[in-house]
Amino acid sequence: MGNRSAADVGGLLAGRGPGSSGGARAPAGLAEPGAAAALAGGVLLIGTVLAGNSLVCVSVAAERALQTPTNYFVVSLAAADLLLALLVLPLFVYSEVQGGVWLLSPGLCDALMAMDVMLCTASIFNLCAISVDRFVAVALPLRYNRQSGGGRQLLLIGATWLLSAAVAAPVLCGLNDARGRDPAACRLEDRDYVVYSSVCSFFLPCPLMLLLYWATFRGLRRWEAARRAKLQGRAPSGPGPPPPAAGPPPGGVAPPDAVPAEPAQQPHRTRRAKIPGRERKAMRVLPVVVGAFLVCWTPFFVVHITGALCPTCAVPPRLVSAVTWLGYVNSALNPIIYTVFNAEFRTVFRKALRCGCC
């Protein structure tokens, strides 16, 4: 498709349009197989993301059993996917159908870039916030249970969205309005910003998130081992009749100098907080959610930052397009993961679908 400039290889954060293919291309008609496939795939993807994540939000709002601290973050993550399907994917699919040529205004392109960066960053920051919340729940359970009203979770969710907006703000503040900008190419124009946004949105939070999850599940295994040991310690030591109960002395009258015996001193017990079973079940789903996110988005960010750091590296346009689609597919996967791996979500989803069909 011709030589690729640094900005072309860097593309926009979603890797779409001419940023995915280098130089301008002629608009493609729907008669072309690629355009028809992009339209069909885009409509299917948008519909799946909207239906699945709407069902997640409605289920958590309507079912009290799902209103747990972890699921507050699940709703926030679903909200980011819903906004992506409403604000980003339609224009992305439109650009793909047109062969990667941007036919709309540069201002709309900048808004699209900013929303794309913000929502992708919000997704990974929400996963990081979940990892922080779960780590605190396992490492400091007593303090966590005393503050279980949801305030901490709402504060973390608010922080994730504010930080995500801060990462995307430079695009709306004129960073993308470069001199000699090609109006037919919708992309991030500043190579340094490509590196900055990739590091902030992916390469910095991902190792931190994985480290926190490792510490969380290690602590959870220790907690469960201590719980099993405690239950085994309470079990009877062996068969045999119970000791005879104390009764009054013969004759039924106590001696005058008899003093009631003081109850035996109970050994001091360390107070241990319980991690609710529902929370433990929710935590088992999270590795699947995180794993799916990493599988879907790691190829894109590797290709994305490679193009920014190595302008002379040849990155095939089809590879950029493929990893971009793969990243967006992640927005449709989470509701499927909840259905497969979480029995409570599965039950509520079935109930909601039955009510919807009535």
Side-chain angles (χ1 to χ4, degrees):
M1 294 291 180
N3 295 328
R4 301 167 65 83
S5 67
D8 284 335
V9 178
L12 52 95
L13 185 58
R16 62 176 139 271
S20 303
S21 59
R25 291 181 290 178
L30 288 180
E32 295 186 11
L39 180 62
V43 170
L44 178 62
L45 178 61
I46 292 172
T48 304
V49 173
L50 289 175
N53 289 283
S54 297
L55 187 58
V56 169
C57 295
V58 171
S59 298
V60 174
E63 188 69 26
R64 189 173 182 83
L66 293 179
Q67 294 172 6
T68 65
T70 300
N71 287 342
Y72 294 162
F73 297 103
V74 168
V75 170
S76 181
L77 187 61
D81 291 333
L82 284 174
L83 289 174
L84 185 81
L86 292 172
L87 303 177
V88 174
L89 286 181
L91 292 175
F92 163 69
V93 174
Y94 172 79
S95 178
E96 289 286 291
V97 170
Q98 297 301 324
V101 178
W102 184 255
L103 302 178
L104 304 176
S105 68
L108 183 59
C109 171
D110 292 347
L112 179 61
M113 297 299 95
M115 290 302 300
D116 198 12
V117 173
M118 186 184 77
L119 294 175
C120 180
T121 306
S123 295
I124 186 64
F125 281 7
N126 270 295
L127 292 175
C128 283
I130 296 176
S131 68
V132 172
D133 184 75
R134 296 297 84 201
F135 176 76
V136 173
V138 172
L140 303 170
L142 289 175
R143 180 178 300 179
Y144 185 88
N145 290 341
R146 285 198 300 265
Q147 301 174 355
S148 58
R152 181 194 297 106
Q153 287 76 25
L154 295 178
L155 184 62
L156 278 173
I157 290 171
T160 62
W161 285 94
L162 286 176
L163 291 174
S164 302
V167 173
V171 180
L172 290 178
C173 294
L175 181 70
N176 221 36
D177 193 14
R179 181 178 299 179
R181 175 179 179 179
D182 182 4
C186 186
R187 63 196 177 204
L188 292 177
E189 301 287 343
D190 190 283
R191 188 189 307 164
D192 293 335
Y193 179 76
V194 171
V195 176
Y196 160 77
S197 61
S198 298
V199 170
C200 290
S201 302
F202 189 81
F203 291 105
L204 185 61
C206 279
L208 174 63
M209 176 179 63
L210 293 176
L211 180 63
L212 285 173
Y213 274 123
W214 174 80
T216 297
F217 283 96
R218 184 182 179 187
L220 186 60
R221 285 195 299 268
R222 289 179 176 177
W223 184 89
E224 290 180 342
R227 177 172 173 267
R228 286 194 298 267
K230 184 178 180 180
L231 291 175
Q232 291 173 359
R234 288 180 177 179
S237 57
V253 180
D257 58 345
V259 178
E262 294 184 1
Q265 293 291 331
Q266 295 291 332
H268 177 70
R269 292 182 178 179
T270 303
R271 186 182 176 191
R272 297 181 60 88
K274 294 182 178 179
I275 301 176
R278 184 179 295 123
E279 286 296 307
R280 296 200 303 273
K281 291 177 182 178
M283 289 166 69
R284 295 189 183 103
V285 183
L286 297 179
V288 185
V289 175
V290 173
F293 184 91
L294 294 178
V295 168
C296 290
W297 279 109
T298 298
F300 167 77
F301 278 99
V302 170
V303 171
H304 186 56
I305 201 168
T306 299
L309 295 176
C310 180
T312 60
C313 296
V315 181
R318 290 187 178 181
L319 174 62
V320 178
S321 180
V323 297
T324 302
W325 279 98
L326 179 63
Y328 286 143
V329 164
N330 178 252
S331 297
L333 291 182
N334 288 339
I336 300 174
I337 293 172
Y338 304 144
T339 303
V340 173
F341 292 94
N342 190 305
E344 289 183 334
F345 263 109
R346 186 163 58 247
T347 301
V348 175
F349 284 176
R350 288 174 180 171
K351 185 189 303 183
L353 291 175
R354 283 198 299 268
C355 293
C357 294
C358 294

